[in-house]
């Protein structure tokens, strides 16, 4: 979170987007580990300057049995009971995983759980990471989970170095 706050204090589109995510996080009544996980997962692709518009999808719980996922190759679908226009939902009713435009897993309780299950499915089924989020998934794979050590892209190596400084 310290790294996100540091980057949000600068200027630019990425900094503005990070500042918005952190502002929403700070307004939450409950500040627990799950809230932090959700914030970190929403902010990671933003920090890596990736497009998350087709990845994080939201629908009303009434529509969650037949959601409109479009042609999303990979997405996390959050079902909420109130405002679907919020950029981040900390208390969803349920979360589903979409692969190849089909809802594969549903009724996951938290975003972090859904993200790891989705990552596991993509990794185990040898699916390609979505192009829009290639850096995010590679970061999770190589740095957070320590799978397949190898040379990192410069952007990921810089983020890894920044994280080592702030630990």
């Amino acid at each position: 979170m310290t790294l996100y706050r540091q980057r949000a204090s600068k200027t630019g589109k990425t900094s503005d987007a990070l500042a918005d995510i952190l502002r929403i996080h700070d307004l939450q009544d409950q500040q627990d580990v799950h809230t932090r996980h959700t914030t970190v997962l929403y902010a990671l692709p933003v920090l890596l300057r990736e497009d998350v518009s087709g990845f994080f999808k939201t629908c009303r719980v009434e529509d969650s049995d037949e959601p409109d996922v479009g042609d999303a190759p990979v997405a996390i679908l959050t079902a909420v009971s109130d405002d679907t226009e919020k950029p981040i939902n900390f208390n969803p009713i349920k979360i589903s995983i979409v692969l190849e435009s089909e809802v594969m897993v549903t009724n996951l309780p938290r975003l972090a759980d859904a993200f790891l299950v989705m990552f596991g499915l993509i990794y185990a089924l040898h699916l390609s990471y979505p192009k829009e989020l290639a850096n995010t998934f590679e970061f999770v794979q190589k740095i957070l989970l320590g799978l397949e050590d190898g040379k990192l892209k410069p952007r990921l190596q810089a983020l890894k170095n920044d994280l080592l400084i702030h630990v």
Side-chain angles (χ1 to χ4, degrees):
M1 294 291 282
T2 304
L3 179 61
Y4 290 146
R5 290 191 190 283
Q6 182 183 54
R7 296 279 176 91
S9 67
K10 297 180 180 181
T11 59
K13 283 175 46 176
T14 301
S15 299
D16 293 343
L18 284 173
D20 290 342
I21 291 170
L22 292 171
R23 191 174 311 110
I24 294 167
H25 170 82
D26 293 339
L27 292 174
Q28 294 304 303
D29 295 333
Q30 184 178 0
Q31 296 283 333
D32 62 1
V33 68
H34 303 300
T35 305
R36 293 183 83 150
H37 287 167
T38 299
T39 303
V40 166
L41 286 173
Y42 271 101
L44 180 60
V46 172
L47 185 65
L48 293 171
R49 294 184 221 114
E50 295 184 308
D51 180 21
V52 295
S53 60
F55 182 67
F56 292 118
K57 296 187 173 281
T58 306
C59 71
R60 294 187 57 78
V61 73
E62 299 86 31
D63 303 329
S64 65
D65 291 333
E66 294 292 326
D68 178 25
V69 292
D71 61 347
V74 176
I76 292 180
L77 178 67
T78 304
V80 295
S81 60
D82 53 0
D83 185 11
T84 60
E85 298 301 316
K86 287 185 196 175
I88 301 176
N89 293 289
F90 290 99
N91 298 308
I93 303 299
K94 67 179 179 179
I95 299 176
S96 302
I97 297 172
V98 176
L99 290 176
E100 304 297 329
S101 302
E102 294 290 326
V103 176
M104 295 294 181
V105 181
T106 190
N107 291 330
L108 294 165
R110 291 181 277 289
L111 184 69
D113 298 335
F115 191 86
L116 285 176
V117 169
M118 181 184 54
F119 180 84
L121 285 170
I122 291 171
Y123 192 78
L125 296 172
H126 301 288
L127 299 174
S128 296
Y129 296 141
K131 290 178 188 173
E132 306 84 28
L133 296 167
N135 287 332
T136 298
F137 280 96
E138 188 175 331
F139 178 82
V140 171
Q141 175 187 334
K142 292 184 176 179
I143 297 172
L144 296 182
L145 298 178
L147 302 173
E148 296 182 22
D149 285 338
K151 189 171 180 167
L152 293 172
K153 295 176 185 174
R155 184 176 292 175
L156 297 179
Q157 185 65 51
L159 179 56
K160 179 181 178 182
N161 294 341
D162 286 346
L163 287 172
L164 290 173
I165 290 170
H166 291 293
V167 172

